[in-house]
Amino acid sequence: MSTNDEEMVVTPWEVSGKIDYEKLIKEFGTQPITPELLERLRKNAGELHPQLERRIFFSHRDLDWLLQKYENGEKFVLYTGRGPSGPVHIGHLVPWMFSKYLQDKFDAKLYFQITDDERFLYHDNFSMDETAKWAYENALDLIALGFDPKKTRIILDTKSIGTLYSIALSIAKHVTFSTAKAVFGFQESTNIGLLFYPAIQAAPAFLESALVGHNVPCLIPAAIDQDPYWRITRDVAPKLGYYKPAQIHCRFVPGLGRGGKMSASLPETAIFTTDQPNVAQKKIMSAFTGGRATVEEQKRLGANPDVCSVYAYDYFLFMNAKEIEELRYNCLSGNIMCGDCKHILAERVKKFLIEHQERREKAKDRFEEFLFNPKDF
Ligand code: TYM
């Protein structure tokens, strides 16, 4: 799947080109989050998360259905996850922070899948020791976000497979090779582990229902790259007598370079949660912005926040509504220079990293507490 700069590719393994989110809604057959749906969320949650207000979460499947169930007294579970192939970057935190908001507001249980199997199978040079190391390291980031240990269970695939396997098998039986090939782009050279893997990622969507013995609605918050998995999950659900899982999709936090999502494979343009604060600062100071060639021109013509990675970080994670409005105005009107803007962001990111890293340290003894244990049921 080779791409030029502009051609949009969004799959679970590759996100590149200029992302057109409206087009994705059409191509993937999802629904936009309408103002009515936002109001309904606000009513049920008490308040809207800024990621909803700012349309960072922009698309869904069956969220209206899920809220209807909730309004009728049926609680739902949340399901999200991580493929442990390296350190977590702050883009990954977007769906996780949002899941925390949903857990708090809807008193929902969260299943968090860590797909050490997927990453072992996908990366040619990865050993199981490496995926095990990253699984643990990445789990610390999740725990550091403050999830409720009583309502959060980490499913580590190679450890929890005994529970997942029979659900995955029943899913796999209903997905043909030709469907999997069409949805995931599998080829003759794809290893057979990866061919089965989608059934493993689908399984947690039905886990609560399977464990408690009756249907429980499930909502999956994630960026839209994971959507292909949910297409097969949703196709199979009625054949197995389960509810189709609902989804809520977010946009991608961009990298600090020109265009493209934040990606661990481009470390100089990604801020990792484990970066030393001064390292993160250096990355921000070299970030791509929407600035003009000279200070004089920028003062006269203003800059362009819509292509600026620094503005994007403020927008996704680091500024409140009033601050972002002011920044936008000052940027467009040439009242602020890119260097100053970078400094403001760098200070905020450094503060975040110091606090997150402290919480991450404290999470080190708590992995087992969060790990899924079939005896809980
Ligand atoms: P992974 O590890 O690639 O990504 C973890 C989560 O982060 C989201 N994400 C982003 N969100 C915003 N901006 C970005 N730049 C960005 N990059 C990645 C992903 O959409 C994902 O939600 N196969 C999965 C692991 C998994 C999973 C799940 C994810 C298993 N079950 C259920 C979501 C929901 C993976 O490798 O994610």
Side-chain angles (χ1 to χ4, degrees):
M1 267 185 266
S2 77
T3 54
N4 61 36
D5 257 7
E6 289 302 303
E7 190 189 346
M8 174 172 77
V9 176
V10 177
T11 75
W13 302 291
E14 185 186 356
V15 177
S16 58
K18 191 167 171 3
I19 315 280
D20 179 340
Y21 289 100
E22 299 306 312
K23 195 165 161 201
L24 277 181
I25 286 182
K26 288 202 188 87
E27 277 183 10
F28 286 6
T30 66
Q31 302 296 316
I33 296 184
T34 58
E36 294 74 38
L37 194 51
L38 277 185
E39 264 326 294
R40 204 160 163 196
L41 273 166
R42 189 198 302 277
K43 217 172 114 224
N44 281 294
E47 61 180 338
L48 281 186
H49 194 280
Q51 292 171 357
L52 283 166
E53 267 168 349
R54 294 179 196 183
R55 304 305 174 98
I56 291 166
F57 279 84
F58 70 105
S59 147
H60 76 102
R61 291 178 198 270
D62 279 347
L63 184 57
D64 37 2
W65 167 86
L66 184 106
L67 288 177
Q68 185 68 58
K69 291 269 174 206
Y70 182 79
E71 286 160 7
N72 292 343
E74 259 185 79
K75 283 179 76 170
F76 57 87
V77 293
L78 296 161
Y79 161 42
T80 194
R82 161 73 178 146
S85 52
V88 161
H89 60 59
I90 58 174
H92 296 129
L93 298 184
V94 166
W96 304 355
M97 286 172 164
F98 186 67
S99 301
K100 163 91 169 72
Y101 153 84
L102 292 172
Q103 175 169 84
D104 291 347
K105 297 294 176 191
F106 291 90
D107 188 30
K109 185 189 255 186
L110 167 71
Y111 285 112
F112 189 89
Q113 183 178 39
I114 300 188
T115 58
D116 52 347
D117 48 354
E118 174 194 24
R119 292 306 159 145
F120 171 71
L121 290 165
Y122 182 71
H123 296 284
D124 286 344
N125 304 322
F126 254 46
S127 68
M128 285 204 203
D129 285 347
E130 270 166 298
T131 47
K133 172 190 144 197
W134 288 120
Y136 171 72
E137 289 292 325
N138 295 175
L140 299 183
D141 286 298
L142 179 84
I143 297 169
L145 294 180
F147 284 94
D148 181 342
K150 288 196 212 67
K151 282 188 264 154
T152 306
R153 285 293 162 264
I154 293 175
I155 303 165
L156 176 55
D157 283 352
T158 54
K159 280 229 161 35
S160 312
I161 191 64
T163 306
L164 292 183
Y165 196 51
S166 53
I167 308 174
L169 275 181
S170 49
I171 295 164
K173 198 168 178 175
H174 290 283
V175 183
T176 64
F177 177 57
S178 89
T179 300
K181 198 171 157 193
V183 173
F184 296 101
F186 292 144
Q187 295 174 356
E188 294 288 312
S189 57
T190 306
N191 70 57
I192 59 172
L194 277 177
L195 301 186
F196 181 71
Y197 171 73
I200 303 276
Q201 182 155 332
F206 306 138
L207 183 59
E208 182 75 0
S209 302
L211 291 171
V212 300
H214 61 84
N215 261 331
V216 180
C218 171
L219 174 63
I220 308 176
I224 196 157
D225 59 332
Q226 299 298 309
D227 191 69
Y229 287 110
W230 321 134
R231 279 176 239 156
I232 60 151
T233 314
R234 288 169 56 86
D235 275 357
V236 168
K239 296 176 187 156
L240 301 178
Y242 293 123
Y243 287 152
K244 291 183 180 186
Q247 284 87 52
I248 181 159
H249 304 110
C250 68
R251 298 170 199 261
F252 301 106
V253 177
L256 287 165
R258 188 185 196 126
K261 76 156 191 158
M262 186 176 282
S263 162
S265 57
L266 295 170
E268 66 289 357
T269 64
I271 295 172
F272 297 110
T273 57
T274 47
D275 275 346
Q276 287 303 313
N278 63 330
V279 171
Q281 176 163 29
K282 273 202 197 109
K283 291 180 185 176
I284 293 168
M285 294 318 286
S286 336
F288 173 78
T289 68
R292 301 275 176 181
T294 65
V295 170
E296 184 280 319
E297 249 186 66
Q298 186 146 333
K299 283 192 174 156
R300 192 161 41 89
L301 300 169
N304 181 1
D306 296 325
V307 297
C308 177
S309 64
V310 174
Y311 179 80
Y313 282 41
D314 288 326
Y315 188 81
F316 269 83
L317 287 160
F318 292 103
M319 279 193 179
N320 66 31
K322 186 163 169 281
E323 291 170 323
I324 203 76
E325 195 185 318
E326 272 171 23
L327 179 64
R328 189 172 180 83
Y329 174 80
N330 286 332
C331 176
L332 286 168
S333 56
N335 290 346
I336 188 166
M337 297 300 115
C338 297
D340 297 333
C341 215
K342 285 176 176 175
H343 273 295
I344 297 171
L345 176 66
E347 287 312 310
R348 294 188 181 204
V349 169
K350 284 197 297 186
K351 181 170 182 287
F352 169 78
L353 288 178
I354 291 167
E355 288 168 6
H356 183 78
Q357 287 167 12
E358 272 171 24
R359 291 192 299 265
R360 219 179 159 275
E361 253 330 283
K362 291 193 188 127
K364 285 191 169 159
D365 306 324
R366 305 188 64 197
F367 182 56
E368 293 294 327
E369 190 187 343
F370 280 83
L371 206 55
F372 176 79
N373 183 348
K375 290 196 195 115
D376 292 346
F377 284 86

